[in-house]
Every structure is written in structure tokens, then in C-alpha cells.
Amino acid sequence: MAATLGFGTARLVRGQALSPLRRQCANAGSRRPSTASLRPRTASSAREFSSGPSGGGQRPRFSQRLGDALRKTKITWYHIPVGLGVGFLGFVQFYKVQARERERQEGGEKPRPRARITPDGPWQVQVMSTLPLKAISRLWGKFNELTIPYYLRIPGFKLYSWVFGVNLSEVSEPDLHVYPNLAAFFYRTLKPGSRPLDPDPQVLLSPSDGKILQYGQIDGGNIEQVKGMTYTVDALLGKHTPSPSISSASSVRSGASTPKPREHQGDEGIIGKEEEFARVNGISYTLPDFLSGQKDKDDSANRAGAVEDQSTQSSQKAVSQVRADLALGEPAWYDMLPRDKATSLYYAVIYLAPGDYHRFHSPTNWVVERRRHFAGELYSVSPYLQRTLPGLFTLNERVVLLGRWRWGFFGYVPVGATNVGSIKVNFDRELRTNSLTTDTAADLAADEAAKRGEPYLGFAEATYEAASPVLHGHALRRGEEMGGFQLGSTIVLVFEAPTTATTDGGESKGWEWKVDKGQTIKMGQALGRVNGE
């Protein structure tokens, strides 16, 4: 009994152990290749390609293979109903119409962009004119404002100083860690006494550090950019720029926006100081008449009562066309200088390199009456481009400060350039340069001028008349800081001064230059001098 049980148990164990092996053998037998599969491949069993009805064993075209792949793909394609597509397009068009209607009702319709001036010049200039230089300059300005890691500031600023020739011994902050970014280092201040002013009161100072590119006398309203290449004063400063020495105070301020009068609170001390400033520096001025407003009203009422006014409002387009036609016969303001030629117009161009001191100062005692902002382009002002791009300074964005000094007209023009983040004027808080806001405002002004039938003058104007009831402008002392650039650029001075002449005794009278072309100059050094005073 026991033997029989043991034998059966042994057979059962062997059967269970061998069963997996039998199953593997059975599976292998079922996967055994057939005789046909072991035969060598013949030409008839090879893949046939045909590119057309004639066959020929060529590979099918790509379009045919792509079509076969799309038809045999596992992805199922469904057609969009025509009604759904038409409804979607109708919804998009409805949204656009509603958006335009809202903009029109809110008065925020986007104006058409101003027509860009395509400059003349070699192919390098043509390629540069197609680049978005203003957008690139804005990005560069944002990059300059990025905070530099603390441990990289000293080696970074020293490397920049070595490349561009910055004199670090003049910097007011000897610890370079205090400058968080490149923008702050560009706009650095200097130690007191680093730029002493020329003591001669008859000297016109250099407004900034830089290199003298051009200077001379303006003849016929043309300024020489380089030899054989000129641009007009009107193109640089804007049209209708009269000189105080050849026109009355009312004509000087004609065309400017009417300022809001400053309330006089009996501050006679301030008025006395402004009167003394004007008298000492030979600048014309008027004392405020606190009763002039009522007297003007009474006079106008008396005049109105004498003859009855039956005028009607003229159309804006007619006024614009007639004014433009009459302006063609008017002589330019610079052709109306005194007949005795006691004074003439002069100009000077100063180029600021990236390593120069970037703040600019007042070259003399003078009064700024108006500001014009030209939202132009931002081409480079490098010496190469000045030689190849005609009218470079009239194309670039610039701030034109118009005023007077003791000899007559005085114009001060900071000009922007590629990668110049902004032009800052200390006494003008509303000024914004290289900004999308100012570009949009300029486009809007050009669009409105076109609707009125007027030519766009190219600038937005503001006045500083309310800054002083005596001087009718913002007074600036000799050497006073006016503002600065973010990176390097150019300053153009246009001013009226006594005409250069020689006496019978051989002495020089009038204006005399104290610089040479290509000379490096520092702020506060003599640019020229008025002799015979």
C-alpha cells in the first residue's frame, strides 16, 4: 500500500515538473518557419515600386507615399461643417467691428503711422534704415537697467572703463559697488572741481565733454555736416523760429502754446532777483503788471464797441491752405538779421563718446523759452555715418531748446542716437524721449494735421513762459547742469553773436572761436569768445 502510494506520488511530481518544458516545446514547434519562408527571395517576391502606369520599378513620388500614409493612418479625420466655419468667421468679424466702434467712441482710435523718411546713402545706410532701431534702443535701455551682481560690478565697470577710456579718478563715488547697473554708471557724477569753468565772462563754455566735429558761421541758413554736405537750420530747429534780436517779444512767442499764468503772491524778492539776473547779463525782460489783465479786457471792449464785428467762422481747411500759401512769400527768420550785420548766426557740433561724461550743462547765462521734441529716428551718430548719411541730425530724435542770451537768439539741441535710452532735461518733467507714448502722440498729431490739410511740422512744442513773470522763460546760469544722456550722443549749438570783424588797428572784434575741428574738449572749457566788450 505504501509502495503503491509512493510510486504514484513520484509520477505526479515528475509530471508537474515536466509540464512547463512540454509547453515551451509546443510553442516553439508552432513558431517553426515554414518551408516557403526559408526559401531564398526571388525577384518576384521583392518590393515593387511604380511611379506611373508604365511601372519600371521606380520609387513612388512623395505625394503618392504621403497620400497612402494618410489613408492608412489610424487617425480618423472628420470634416468641419460649413455652417460652423462661417459662424466662427462671422463671430471674429463682429468682435473686430465692436472693438473699432468702442475705440471710435472713446476717441482712442489708433492713428496711422507717420511716413518714414528713407535716407540716401550707400547700402549700409539703406540696410540700417530698415532696422527697428527705436525698438532695439528701448530693449538696450531695459538691459542697462538690469541689476548687476554685486561681485561683478567692479570688474565689469573697470573693463568698460578700460575699453572706452573712462577716467575713474574723476568719479564722485570711488566705490563702484554703489552703481547697481550700467545705466547708473553711464549717468555718473564727477567730483567737485573736476570741470572748472573758464573765468572769462565773455567766453561761451563747452556744454559737455566730447569732440568738436564741426563749427562755423551759418550762411544762407545752411549748416555744414561734413565738407560738401549740409542741412538747413529749419530742418534742425523746426520752422517759424524767430530771433529775439530781430522781432518783438510777442512775435518770439507766436505759435507757442499759451502758458497758464503763474499766480503772483507778492513775492517781490523773486521778481527782484530775476530782474537783476536779466539786467546783469544783458537779457531783455518785462516787469509783470498785475492789473494788465483787467486793462486788456477794458481796451478790447472799447475797441469792440467802436466797430461792430460781423465776421463768421472760416473753415479750418481754408485757413490752413491760405496760411501755407502766404508762408511761401515770407522770408526766413535767419534772413531778417540786422542790415548792418552787427550779429550773425554760428553753430558748433560736439560728439559725446560712450566713455565721456554724459551730463550736459549751460554754456552761458540765458533764458529757455520753448522746447520742441522731434520724435524722429535713432541712427548712430558715429563719425562714419556723419560722413555718409545726409542730414543725420535732422532725422534723429532730438530736443530743441529755444531761447535768448545777451546777443540774441540761442538754441541748444541734444540729439539722440542708437542705444541712447533717453534724453533727460532737469527742468522739464513732462518730457519723454524714445517712448512708445511719444511716438503714438506724434503719429496722432501727424494724422490730425493731414485731416486739416496742413503739413506736419514734425515736433511737439511746449513753453516755459510761466517759469518767470520777468524773463518769460526758465533762467539758466553759466555752468548749471541741464540734463544728460543715457550713453553717448551729440549736442548742436546754434546761437547769435557779434559778427567777426577786424579793426583798422588789426584787432579782432566780434565772435572768435577757441577750438579746432577734431579737438577733444571738456565741459567748462572755452568754446569761443566775444571780443571788444
Side-chain angles (χ1 to χ4, degrees):
M1 181 71 178
T4 304
L5 181 60
F7 177 73
T9 303
R11 283 175 44 180
L12 180 61
V13 171
R14 285 199 303 270
Q16 292 178 353
L18 294 176
S19 60
L21 184 60
R22 292 193 185 99
R23 284 196 300 271
Q24 292 179 3
C25 293
N27 293 336
S30 62
R31 293 195 300 268
R32 182 178 300 171
S34 62
T35 306
S37 64
L38 295 176
R39 296 173 184 167
R41 302 184 66 179
T42 61
S44 60
S45 63
R47 184 178 180 182
E48 296 182 358
F49 298 102
S50 177
S51 60
S54 59
Q58 297 181 0
R59 184 181 179 87
R61 291 193 300 270
F62 174 77
S63 58
Q64 181 179 351
R65 288 185 282 123
L66 180 62
D68 293 341
L70 292 176
R71 284 191 297 271
K72 296 178 182 179
T73 183
K74 295 181 180 180
I75 301 175
T76 304
W77 297 91
Y78 297 94
H79 295 284
I80 298 177
V82 176
L84 180 61
V86 172
F88 176 75
L89 294 178
F91 175 77
V92 172
Q93 185 65 20
F94 175 77
Y95 176 79
K96 291 183 177 180
V97 171
Q98 292 296 320
R100 285 197 299 266
E101 185 66 19
R102 286 194 301 269
E103 290 181 354
R104 187 184 65 81
Q105 293 178 356
E106 297 174 359
E109 185 177 356
K110 187 176 181 181
R112 292 178 298 177
R114 291 161 294 155
R116 295 187 60 183
I117 300 176
T118 303
D120 298 328
W123 66 269
Q124 296 93 335
V125 174
Q126 301 297 327
V127 171
M128 184 176 295
S129 64
T130 62
L131 299 177
L133 298 177
K134 301 201 77 171
I136 294 173
S137 299
R138 294 188 191 105
L139 290 177
W140 179 253
K142 296 297 183 182
F143 173 77
N144 286 344
E145 294 175 355
L146 295 177
T147 302
I148 300 176
Y150 187 83
Y151 56 88
L152 291 180
R153 293 177 186 177
I154 289 182
F157 292 144
K158 285 188 175 181
L159 176 62
Y160 178 88
S161 303
W162 178 76
V163 172
F164 294 105
V166 178
N167 187 359
L168 293 178
S169 62
E170 298 177 341
V171 179
S172 60
E173 294 290 345
D175 184 12
L176 299 181
H177 288 113
V178 301
Y179 300 106
N181 47 44
L182 286 173
F185 184 71
F186 293 152
Y187 208 65
R188 62 191 177 273
T189 57
L190 302 181
K191 294 178 180 178
S194 298
R195 296 292 183 270
L197 306 182
D198 193 295
D200 189 350
Q202 302 299 327
V203 162
L204 183 68
L205 304 177
S206 173
S208 66
D209 291 5
K211 179 189 292 185
I212 304 295
L213 295 182
Q214 291 289 336
Y215 67 88
Q217 183 174 343
I218 298 176
D219 185 14
N222 293 321
I223 299 177
E224 186 179 42
Q225 180 170 313
V226 292
K227 189 174 182 179
M229 187 183 299
T230 61
Y231 54 91
T232 64
V233 177
D234 282 342
L236 177 69
L237 305 181
K239 293 186 177 180
H240 312 298
T241 310
S243 172
S245 66
I246 59 177
S247 59
S248 63
S250 60
S251 64
V252 170
R253 293 184 292 274
S254 63
S257 57
T258 303
K260 182 179 180 181
R262 188 172 65 180
E263 295 183 359
H264 306 294
Q265 300 177 353
D267 196 349
E268 299 178 357
I270 296 179
I271 295 177
K273 291 180 180 179
E274 292 175 347
E275 181 184 359
E276 182 182 1
F277 174 84
R279 180 168 44 81
V280 170
N281 295 286
I283 300 174
S284 59
Y285 67 96
T286 57
L287 291 177
D289 188 352
F290 301 106
L291 300 177
S292 60
Q294 184 64 31
K295 183 172 66 175
D296 292 342
K297 291 181 180 179
D298 296 339
D299 293 343
S300 62
N302 294 332
R303 288 194 302 268
V307 179
E308 187 176 359
D309 187 2
Q310 296 291 345
S311 61
T312 58
Q313 185 69 30
S314 301
S315 66
Q316 187 65 39
K317 183 168 291 187
V319 172
S320 301
Q321 292 179 356
V322 172
R323 184 170 59 183
D325 189 60
L326 294 177
L328 297 176
E330 296 178 358
W333 64 271
Y334 41 79
D335 291 334
M336 298 171 60
L337 293 173
R339 295 183 180 274
D340 57 1
K341 295 185 178 181
T343 59
S344 300
L345 285 178
Y346 298 90
Y347 74 96
V349 182
I350 304 172
Y351 169 70
L352 286 75
D356 288 329
Y357 170 60
H358 295 107
R359 303 193 180 209
F360 47 79
H361 297 247
S362 173
T364 186
N365 295 323
W366 66 300
V367 178
V368 187
E369 297 176 333
R370 285 180 287 168
R371 178 262 291 167
R372 291 175 173 178
H373 177 210
F374 291 77
E377 304 297 330
L378 284 178
Y379 294 108
S380 171
V381 292
S382 63
Y384 167 75
L385 223 60
Q386 293 184 35
R387 295 191 302 268
T388 56
L389 180 54
L392 172 61
F393 301 132
T394 65
L395 297 175
N396 272 12
E397 182 175 17
R398 60 197 180 277
V399 177
V400 177
L401 301 175
L402 303 175
R404 66 190 190 277
W405 67 323
R406 62 178 303 182
W407 303 112
F409 173 78
F410 199 93
Y412 193 110
V413 188
V415 183
T418 306
N419 292 338
V420 175
S422 64
I423 302 173
K424 181 180 178 182
V425 177
N426 295 342
F427 50 87
D428 194 330
R429 290 174 292 182
E430 299 297 326
L431 178 64
R432 298 290 183 273
T433 60
N434 193 16
S435 169
L436 286 174
T437 304
T438 54
D439 286 344
T440 304
D443 293 339
L444 182 60
D447 195 19
E448 292 177 351
K451 291 178 181 178
R452 295 193 304 265
E454 298 179 355
Y456 176 55
L457 297 178
F459 59 83
E461 188 168 32
T463 179
Y464 303 125
E465 186 173 354
S468 169
V470 175
L471 300 173
H472 302 289
H474 185 87
L476 290 169
R477 292 190 177 275
R478 193 170 183 256
E480 181 180 348
E481 182 184 322
M482 296 176 56
F485 295 105
Q486 298 290 341
L487 206 60
S489 194
T490 305
I491 293 178
V492 182
L493 298 179
V494 178
F495 55 93
E496 190 176 356
T499 305
T500 304
T502 304
T503 62
D504 296 336
E507 296 181 359
S508 177
K509 291 187 61 178
W511 178 256
E512 179 186 2
W513 293 102
K514 297 293 185 180
V515 291
D516 296 320
K517 291 183 180 180
Q519 173 185 336
T520 300
I521 195 170
K522 300 293 185 182
M523 193 285 295
Q525 294 180 351
L527 193 64
R529 187 183 188 279
V530 177
N531 295 321
E533 295 296 328

